[in-house]
Amino acid sequence: MAGQTELKKTVKIYIMGKEYEVPAGITIMKAVEYAGYQYIRGAGCRGGFCGACATIYRLKGDYRLYTALACQTTVQDGMYLVQIPFAPAEKVKYNIEELKPTGATVLALYPEVARCVACNACTKACPQELQVMDAIQMIKRGDIAKAAELCFDCISCGLCSIRCPAEIIHYHVFQLVRRLYGKYIAPKAKHLEIRVKEIEEGKFDMELDRLVKMNLAELKKLYDSRDIEEVEG
């Protein structure tokens, strides 16, 4: 009986100003759909990896503005929310082959990075709990490797940029930093070079051709047998 009572429990939330009653314990994303909305944009992986469902909300009696991903965050009673389809920002064009892995390179393309006042609003807004401000400070110090490490799990939701008083476009900056690190600083993966060469030489062409020609039933059977093969291997 206790379990049944729990399932029937509901909370009131406000989506774009309109009140809805939804089941307690479900994610914001599921609550939005439960309320009758259909996702055309603002949803992707539904697992906290794509950053497409950036959400801002306030709670009843609380002045603070909170940030979250709709796919990860459960609804709370009295939640006033709205989803942001994307954080608008111009992406600077560059040729990675012509760049150097330095802080000066990043500052030349994104000069607003120098305006960082270390307020930490970006870090507080990050749904991935990344040390966003620290990554920006590492860029200013010229430590591209450390900056890339700190922003490795950035999902480009843009919530940090929305809260930033210096108006830094963090997700574009971090993408550039990771590219510079990957091309010029990270140790070369020898096994990857070998595999690329094998692909170019056609080592896997026959196997790929076999898979392409399989019907759905054959593909399902092969997929289901993978665990057995892994254990035997």
Side-chain angles (χ1 to χ4, degrees), residues 155-167:
I155 55 177
S156 301
C157 67
L159 287 169
C160 55
S161 299
I162 291 172
R163 301 308 304 275
C164 178
E167 300 178 323

Side-chain angles (χ1 to χ4, degrees), residues 16 30 52 59 62 81 98 127 142-143 170 198:
M16 292 183 287
K30 289 182 179 179
L59 300 172
D62 190 343
L81 66 91
E98 299 174 354
D143 193 341
H170 301 78
E198 289 175 342

Side-chain angles (χ1 to χ4, degrees), residues 23 32 82 95 160:
V32 170
V82 65
N95 183 346
C160 55

Side-chain angles (χ1 to χ4, degrees), residues 93-102 104-106 108-109 176 179-180 183-184:
K93 295 182 179 179
Y94 52 80
N95 183 346
I96 195 71
E97 302 290 343
E98 299 174 354
L99 302 182
K100 295 181 179 179
T102 65
T105 294
V106 180
L109 293 170
L176 170 60
R179 286 175 173 172
L180 289 172
K183 179 163 182 63
Y184 296 107

